[in-house]
Amino acid sequence: MVPLVAAQSFGLGLPIREYLLAGLTAAVVTFLLTGLVRVLALKLGAVAWPRGRDVHVTPTPRWGGLAMLGGVLGGIGLAAQLPALRLAFDYSTDVQGVLLAALLIVAVGALDDRFELDALTKFAGQLTAAGVLILFGVQWSVFWIPWGGGGSGISGSLLVLGPEQGVLLTVLITVALVNAMNFVDGLDGLAAGLGLISAAATGVFAIGLVQQNGNDATAYPPALLASVLAGACLGFLPHNFNPARIFMGDSGSMLIGLMLAAVTTSASGKLAISTTTDGTDILALLAPVIVLAAVVFVPLLDLLMAVVRRTRAGMSPFAPDKMHLHHRLLEIGHSHRRAVLLIYLWAAVLAFGAVALALIGDPFFVLWAVAVGLGVAVLASLVPRARNRTRTPPPSPLPPGPLSGPGPEPRR
């Protein structure tokens, strides 16, 4: 294999330090650019004004996605100068395709942050970005199915996708992740933290793929993309964690969703079909999907129940309200920061649990560890509610009667 020979000719080992350096560069560039972008957003009117369903109460600038894109470009630019990671550009067009799609999706998101684009225009931008990925060869080629069989297109428990199937699956996953990440961006630091956790978990698996492929340079792009995305999210968090001084806006949430989709899709083409028979590799690749599906499950269920409830009451089924998962956590007594940290815990258990199933040989140990982690997350989530139930109002010092009636009217 030519890329493998090229890597060996340079005397290069597994480039973990180079990945970390690219991610750190993305973090530093994002951190430094965010302050400048904040000033620009304030001057040009890209500001989130509080609405009834929002948690923030003061106008806050958006466009954090522009700083994150700058961090991604900085990390990729550094990687292109490193002898080891330079091979990722020489033998694959994945990185170039993802960067072009990222520029497009951030442009659409930035316009929406400023001018409130209609849903159809945003959807068209998402489809176009997914199409760019496909044009550069970033698309799914195999997918694990839990049942056996045989016949055309099926190798063991792996479904080998045709061109049309691969395109459809790539578009579906890209659009789903872009909108899911946009959907959960409702608390300070939530989307950035989920992006960091998902990118880090997928990056660990992608580095494992590089090792499994014998340090083949064609397997470098997914690990590089995951590293710079994790770095960009990390660099943005100090500005965005509660109390946030800037929001990432649609430009940032859609960028995270697109790059997570691109990383998983690019890595799917690097799987060794001969050794992937139990679905653990595909499960690890879908770690971002699992995380976001878990996070949006409760609000989606709430939304369906709300539609039924509003319809019965003669109201519009699309009236906005506070029904997201993070709103529920705030409602039962968690603070803003605690609610975000709890969702981080859930996301980390699910994401790294899925990756561990693929990298650790003992699945029972991993499943036990995940079960313990989920148990801790459940208990931590229910603590405020349990406390509220144990609290009882103090008894009235006066017996029932005229003297125990309401006191004087409060001053207004």
Side-chain angles (χ1 to χ4, degrees):
M1 196 177 300
V2 175
L4 178 58
V5 173
Q8 291 176 343
S9 66
F10 279 101
L12 301 173
L14 197 63
I16 296 180
R17 289 179 298 180
E18 286 83 353
Y19 288 132
L20 292 175
L21 182 59
L24 180 61
T25 300
V28 172
V29 172
T30 301
F31 180 81
L32 295 176
L33 285 179
T34 301
L36 299 176
V37 170
R38 183 178 184 277
V39 174
L40 180 65
L42 288 172
K43 287 185 176 181
L44 297 182
V47 177
W49 297 94
R51 299 167 297 181
R53 65 181 184 272
D54 291 330
V55 175
H56 71 283
V57 295
T58 59
T60 306
R62 293 170 171 165
W63 278 1
L66 297 179
M68 297 174 66
L69 176 63
V72 169
L73 294 175
I76 294 295
L78 175 71
Q81 307 304 316
L82 300 176
L85 297 185
R86 175 64 196 175
L87 299 176
F89 303 85
D90 293 338
Y91 299 101
S92 172
T93 58
D94 288 8
V95 175
Q96 294 91 322
V98 172
L99 288 181
L100 184 57
L103 288 170
L104 174 62
I105 204 72
V106 170
V108 173
L111 290 174
D112 181 61
D113 291 337
R114 177 59 183 86
F115 301 106
E116 297 288 342
L117 302 178
D118 61 275
L120 185 60
T121 301
K122 290 168 60 177
F123 183 66
Q126 296 166 11
L127 289 179
T128 305
V132 171
L133 294 179
I134 294 168
L135 287 176
F136 279 81
V138 183
Q139 71 178 63
W140 282 81
S141 56
V142 296
F143 198 84
W144 180 78
I145 54 175
W147 56 86
S152 177
I154 296 180
S155 175
S157 59
L158 281 179
L159 176 66
V160 180
L161 302 175
E164 298 82 4
Q165 295 169 322
V167 166
L168 179 60
L169 183 58
T170 302
V171 171
L172 287 177
I173 289 181
T174 301
V175 173
L177 280 175
V178 166
N179 287 282
M181 185 57 68
N182 190 19
F183 189 74
V184 303
D185 184 22
L187 287 181
D188 296 349
L190 181 56
L194 291 178
L196 170 60
I197 292 168
S198 298
T202 311
V204 169
F205 176 73
I207 291 175
L209 279 182
V210 174
Q211 187 175 24
Q212 290 177 13
N213 283 273
N215 201 19
D216 185 352
T218 58
Y220 284 10
L224 173 59
L225 293 169
S227 299
V228 296
L229 175 59
C233 293
L234 179 62
F236 184 68
L237 262 178
H239 297 275
N240 185 238
F241 202 73
N242 182 258
R245 297 185 295 275
I246 184 173
F247 294 154
M248 66 171 59
D250 281 9
S251 57
S253 61
M254 292 201 299
L255 172 66
I256 295 175
L258 174 81
M259 290 198 64
L260 286 177
V263 170
T264 58
T265 304
S266 176
S268 72
K270 314 302 185 291
L271 296 175
I273 298 180
S274 60
T275 60
T276 305
T277 58
D278 58 359
T280 55
D281 285 348
I282 299 294
L283 183 65
L285 279 182
L286 294 178
V289 180
I290 295 171
V291 167
L292 294 176
V295 172
V296 303
F297 172 76
V298 172
L300 283 177
L301 181 61
D302 284 339
L303 178 61
L304 292 176
M305 295 173 63
V307 169
V308 174
R309 182 174 63 253
R310 294 168 190 157
T311 303
R312 287 181 177 178
M315 301 170 57
S316 170
F318 303 105
D321 54 17
K322 294 185 176 182
M323 303 198 67
H324 295 299
L325 173 61
H326 44 268
H327 293 134
R328 293 295 186 179
L329 290 173
L330 294 174
E331 181 184 340
I332 66 175
H334 291 289
S335 67
H336 192 123
R337 292 189 175 190
R338 183 181 174 88
V340 172
L341 293 175
L342 280 173
I343 298 177
Y344 287 176
L345 176 59
W346 282 94
V349 171
L350 293 171
F352 286 97
V355 171
L357 281 174
L359 299 181
I360 298 178
D362 188 355
F364 294 102
F365 171 77
V366 175
L367 292 176
W368 273 107
V370 171
V372 170
L374 291 177
V376 171
V378 170
L379 290 176
S381 301
L382 296 179
V383 164
R385 175 169 290 179
R387 288 178 179 174
N388 291 335
R389 287 179 178 176
T390 58
R391 293 174 182 171
T392 56
S396 174
L398 298 176
L403 295 180
S404 62
E409 284 290 328
R411 290 184 299 173
R412 302 185 185 278

